[in-house]
Each structure stands twice: as C-alpha cells, then as structure tokens.
Amino acid sequence: MDKLMDLYNSVQSPLEDLDKVKKIIEIYSKSDKDRKDFYGNLVHLSKKKYGINVTKQAHLDEFNSLLFNMWKENIVDMSEDKYNYVYSRKGNYQDSDFQKLRKYLSSIEDVSTEEEVDDIVNKLLDNPQLSDAFKKYKYIVNQGSWFDKWIYVDSEKLGQRPTHNIQHRLYLNAERPYIESFIYQIMAEADNREMEYTIKYSDNGLRDDTIVIYANDNNVLQYIDILRRLREQNPYFKSDIYSPPIMTGLIDGWIGYGAEPTITINKKQQSYTTLREKVIKEAISKTYYDWLSSHSNIKGLSEYEIAEKNPSFIQAVRDEIIRVSKEYGIDENNFCFDTQTVEQMKQADSKSKQNPQQPISDVSIEETRYKEAITLADELLQKPGIDWEDLLQKEDEEQTISDEPSKQDLEELLEELNQIAQNDQKRERQKTSKKTWTVKDDEQKRLEECLRELRDLTPEERKRGNQYLSALENEQNRTK
C-alpha cells in the first residue's frame, strides 16, 4: 500500500460479513436484560489456549529490562537539545528534579530481570527526593482495574522520540505468553526505522484486543508493513495470533483496524468500541421492535431466534446499523472508519501527491499551530499588563481535563493570542508615564509555571486551552 486511501479500500468492514452481523445479534440477544455485559462479550469471543495471566518469565525479564535500560540510558545520556526535543512539555533540562534523577540513574548498572526492575522502581518511589521526579518522568503507564489492566509503552516516555496525534489503531489478538515478545519485536523494527510508537497491551490476556498499536497518517502504513514482515519471519505470529475484535475492520484476516475516535456524544469523547456498541444496540433494538410490529406470528422470539429463522432480519439489522452510523459520523461504506478520518486521509494523500519528494510530516498542522501559540505565549510572559495570577487561582475542578470539546480550534486560539498581544502593545504606546513595570521574582516564577502547564498539554488535553484563553480574555476586558 502506497496511499492512505489504499488502506481504506483494503480494510474489510465487519458489516460486510453477515455471519459477523448474526454473531453480534446473538451476543446482544444473550446478554443480560440491561445489556451491561454486551461490551464485554463483544471483546471476549476467541478461545485461547492459555488462561488469565499465563506468562513466560523469560519474555517478561527480557521485555521489562529492555524498557528500563533504554529509559535509564536515555535519561543519563540526554543532552539539553534532546530534552527539548522529547520532554519540553515536562519542564526544563536544568530542573533539579531531572538532574537528581539523572545522577541517581547514572550509578545503576543495566538490569536483566523483571525482579531487578521492580526493586529499583520501588526504591525510587520510596525515596522522598526522587519519587516525584520518577512519577514525572516515568517510562511506563498502567491503567484500568486489577482484573482488566492495560499497560502502555511509549517512545516519548522512554526518552526516545516524541509522539504525535493518534489517528488510527491496529489491533492484535495475541496469546498472553507471547505479548511482550511480540511488542519487543515491533518496537525494535520501529526503532530501526526511527519511528515513534505508542502501544498498549492487556495484562490478563483474555481479550480479543490484547495489543493495540496507535498510529497516525505518517506511520500507519509502515506499521502494517512491519506486522506483515514479522509474521513472515516468526512462526508464532501465525500460530498465536487470532482474529481481532469482531467490530474492527480486517486486514489480511488477522490485523484489526479502527479509526481513532473523532466523535463526541453528550460532549464526551467516545472510544472506538463504545461508540460502535451504542450504534449496534440502538440498531438491533429498533429493528427488533419494528419486526415484531409487522410480524405478529413471531411474538415471544428473541432477536437471535428471529435471525436463525429469517436471514432477512440479519440484513435489516445491518442496514439499520449503517443508517444509525451516519447519524453519529461513522463512514457509511466502512463501519470501522469515521467520516472525518476518511476526509483527513484523502487530504493527506492529496498533499503527498502534490509534494512527491516530501514525506508526510510527523507534525500535524494542529501541532504546528499549537507550538506557534506557545511561542507567542512565551513572548507575552515578557510583556506587562497581563495579570497571570488569574490563571493560577482557578479552582481545582477547573484545572482538570474537561470532557467538553473546544469550540475554537487552534487556529482561532492563535488568532486570539495575537489579538491580545496587539492590544497589549497598543496600551503600551498610549501610556504617558515613563515609569517601567517590573515583575517580582516570585511572580515571574509563577508565570513560568503557568507556561509550563501549557507546554505539558498532550494533543488530547489541548481542549483545556480554552480555560486559559478565557482567563486571558477576562484580563483583557478588565484592563481596557
């Protein structure tokens, strides 16, 4: 595949296979009455050879020691330029916490077992002078419950290379004992190609999406190529990877595809599976009651019983899923893509065609505009007239990540910040007094902390920018 639309055209939609639609109807029909277990049943269909948390210690030792040694080496050897390239959103290279962490890690030899890693991590967490630094620069993230824990591996957190906007997901249904080994190989190949990576995996290994690779327009085709090559070279990639989750698109019969969600419902961002679960439930429910209304002789039958007797019911469910999907912004031709994602892929292909000598940039337009806004914010720090304490005295609940998406995109944010700068300059020119305004040391420190907060925003958190913009606008109005 050379183009992103080649990917779009090659991915098999889960709705193309009526047997899959029938299976989804069966899962829905056999879920409990309020359908609370529908989601769980959708992602636990494959029969695994190994039980929960069955691992190979040799793989765990190799994988965990690799991550720790890589992170340690990157921290210890990190130059200021490399810090600004990878960690600029976390602080400054000369910060005491970072330098203390570097000094401590420089005294530690490489490790080779999971037990050694755990011992060092526990010592870091128990050390009052290092625990905060380790939490700030930690290289691995755990999320979820003890029974359904996800572990994230990320090239930026490892100090390797920064990650950018996520636009695509690739799903692998791997047996639990081989998960770490598979990710190890994916990382190694990505590193050889100097690619960024964000990968999460299921710790218990019972799901159908035990490995999820997050990708963007620039590298998703490369990741598919990597997976295909590893499958050719490694027999375990054939024998111990099964069909991906039933609601994902299908590549080569074993790689699952899902567009990174672009859709919100009730102002809340939806996950890929959660959104499609909602669409399917709504479609099956409506089709079922419409069917009962027009077929008085089948009362008392469940959704699956109707599907068993009437294949046309399966087709009716499929058609209704497609109809409901369009209302939620899901592509009508392929259930695993969002309409917005398809348009973005077309635009990326068009730009690549217009500039054949230039690869698609790792940095999206939104990322570039965001960095421009931060640069402008840096300049504003040096200007009088802005009471930045308004940003520091917000209530704690206002500082948490908002579920509400930003109503202004980053271009509008940049325009507003530019306007503030221009108004500030105008007020300076209108001043008749020659008195200069000096920022106190403690105030300057708080300004820098505020800017650091801005830098620390991830692409998913940038919606918080509206909170800061609102404070700036309030200050602008107050000082007029």
Side-chain angles (χ1 to χ4, degrees), residues 43-57:
V43 295
H44 289 86
L45 292 180
S46 58
K47 294 181 180 180
K48 302 289 182 69
K49 292 184 293 186
Y50 301 93
I52 187 170
N53 292 330
V54 176
T55 59
K56 289 183 178 292
Q57 191 59 47

Side-chain angles (χ1 to χ4, degrees), residues 316-327:
V317 168
R318 178 187 182 275
D319 293 343
E320 183 62 18
I321 291 174
I322 293 173
R323 188 194 69 78
V324 177
S325 294
K326 290 191 289 185
E327 296 179 359

Side-chain angles (χ1 to χ4, degrees), residues 84-254:
N84 292 334
Y85 174 61
V86 179
Y87 285 149
S88 61
R89 291 177 294 185
K90 291 184 177 292
N92 293 307
Y93 180 75
Q94 299 299 339
D95 287 344
S96 61
D97 57 354
F98 181 71
Q99 293 302 327
K100 287 179 181 178
L101 182 63
R102 287 186 70 206
K103 183 178 180 180
Y104 178 81
L105 293 176
S106 67
S107 65
I108 295 176
E109 299 292 333
D110 282 356
V111 297
S112 58
T113 68
E114 180 185 31
E115 184 178 3
E116 289 177 300
V117 172
D118 290 341
D119 182 58
I120 294 171
V121 168
N122 288 333
K123 288 179 179 178
L124 283 166
L125 291 173
D126 290 340
N127 188 323
Q129 295 184 339
L130 295 171
S131 61
D132 288 343
F134 175 72
K135 292 174 184 177
K136 183 177 179 179
Y137 294 97
K138 63 182 177 181
Y139 64 96
I140 201 165
V141 175
N142 297 331
Q143 289 184 353
S145 65
W146 187 86
F147 297 100
D148 192 14
K149 183 170 70 175
W150 289 102
I151 302 173
Y152 288 75
V153 180
D154 182 277
S155 62
E156 183 170 308
K157 292 186 180 299
L158 286 165
Q160 198 77 351
R161 56 185 59 88
T163 56
H164 301 97
N165 289 345
I166 297 165
Q167 295 154 319
H168 312 277
R169 299 182 181 194
L170 300 175
Y171 297 85
L172 298 180
N173 183 6
E175 281 282 9
R176 180 63 190 93
Y178 303 101
I179 288 178
E180 284 85 2
S181 177
F182 291 157
I183 297 177
Y184 186 111
Q185 295 175 67
I186 295 168
M187 285 175 55
E189 186 59 37
D191 206 39
N192 286 338
R193 302 186 187 201
E194 297 185 349
M195 292 166 56
E196 63 187 82
Y197 49 84
T198 300
I199 304 171
K200 76 173 181 178
Y201 65 94
S202 170
D203 191 44
N204 67 41
L206 295 183
R207 297 172 59 104
D208 295 345
D209 53 354
T210 49
I211 300 175
V212 183
I213 302 170
Y214 295 94
N216 53 45
D217 285 347
N218 186 59
N219 59 31
V220 64
L221 300 182
Q222 294 188 68
Y223 271 118
I224 293 172
D225 182 62
I226 287 173
L227 294 176
R228 286 171 170 171
R229 289 175 181 272
L230 290 175
R231 187 175 175 87
E232 291 176 0
Q233 300 166 2
N234 190 331
Y236 290 118
F237 260 85
K238 295 180 181 179
S239 62
D240 290 288
I241 292 183
Y242 311 127
S243 296
I246 193 170
M247 288 195 295
T248 63
L250 202 57
I251 302 172
D252 297 347
W254 62 283

Side-chain angles (χ1 to χ4, degrees), residues 28-42:
Y28 176 89
S29 180
K30 295 181 178 180
S31 298
D32 60 25
K33 291 182 179 180
D34 58 7
R35 317 295 182 192
K36 286 183 178 179
D37 61 345
F38 182 51
Y39 175 97
N41 291 335
L42 283 172

Side-chain angles (χ1 to χ4, degrees), residues 232-290:
E232 291 176 0
Q233 300 166 2
N234 190 331
Y236 290 118
F237 260 85
K238 295 180 181 179
S239 62
D240 290 288
I241 292 183
Y242 311 127
S243 296
I246 193 170
M247 288 195 295
T248 63
L250 202 57
I251 302 172
D252 297 347
W254 62 283
I255 303 172
Y257 174 85
E260 179 67 13
T262 62
I263 299 157
T264 59
I265 297 177
N266 297 326
K267 301 179 180 180
K268 292 184 177 180
Q269 191 72 34
Q270 304 297 301
S271 73
Y272 174 87
T273 305
T274 300
L275 175 64
R276 282 151 180 82
E277 174 206 15
K278 177 179 177 61
V279 168
I280 288 171
K281 289 168 67 174
E282 187 175 322
I284 294 177
S285 177
K286 184 180 186 306
T287 306
Y288 177 62
Y289 286 108
D290 287 349

Side-chain angles (χ1 to χ4, degrees), residues 261-430:
T262 62
I263 299 157
T264 59
I265 297 177
N266 297 326
K267 301 179 180 180
K268 292 184 177 180
Q269 191 72 34
Q270 304 297 301
S271 73
Y272 174 87
T273 305
T274 300
L275 175 64
R276 282 151 180 82
E277 174 206 15
K278 177 179 177 61
V279 168
I280 288 171
K281 289 168 67 174
E282 187 175 322
I284 294 177
S285 177
K286 184 180 186 306
T287 306
Y288 177 62
Y289 286 108
D290 287 349
W291 196 272
L292 291 179
S293 298
S294 58
H295 297 78
S296 58
N297 60 323
I298 61 171
K299 289 183 178 179
L301 296 180
S302 68
E303 299 90 346
Y304 181 62
E305 289 171 332
I306 296 174
E308 282 276 74
K309 296 176 179 295
N310 297 275
S312 57
F313 178 75
I314 302 172
Q315 183 65 49
V317 168
R318 178 187 182 275
D319 293 343
E320 183 62 18
I321 291 174
I322 293 173
R323 188 194 69 78
V324 177
S325 294
K326 290 191 289 185
E327 296 179 359
Y328 287 100
I330 295 174
D331 182 65
E332 62 180 302
N333 297 313
N334 197 318
F335 189 58
C336 60
F337 287 91
D338 291 354
T339 302
Q340 184 176 328
T341 303
V342 177
E343 288 303 312
Q344 144 225 310
M345 293 166 71
K346 290 178 180 178
Q347 292 174 14
D349 279 349
S350 177
K351 291 177 183 177
S352 177
K353 185 176 181 180
Q354 293 171 6
N355 302 282
Q357 302 303 319
Q358 298 180 2
I360 301 172
S361 172
D362 275 347
V363 183
S364 66
I365 295 173
E366 289 81 3
E367 185 84 359
T368 301
R369 288 174 179 164
Y370 175 71
K371 290 181 178 179
E372 289 173 351
I374 291 300
T375 300
L376 181 58
D378 269 317
E379 295 175 359
L380 289 176
L381 278 177
Q382 309 303 321
K383 297 179 179 293
I386 300 294
D387 186 357
W388 290 78
E389 291 185 0
D390 286 350
L391 304 181
L392 304 172
Q393 295 175 350
K394 282 182 171 291
E395 297 296 330
D396 288 342
E397 60 269 19
E398 293 180 23
Q399 296 294 334
T400 59
I401 298 174
S402 172
D403 286 325
E404 182 177 359
S406 174
K407 295 179 181 178
Q408 296 176 305
D409 62 18
L410 290 171
E411 184 175 13
E412 292 172 325
L413 172 59
L414 179 58
E415 181 180 348
E416 291 293 333
L417 288 171
N418 271 310
Q419 186 61 50
I420 292 170
Q422 292 170 8
N423 290 341
D424 220 47
Q425 292 170 357
K426 183 178 180 180
R427 286 196 297 270
E428 284 298 303
R429 290 195 297 268
Q430 292 174 344

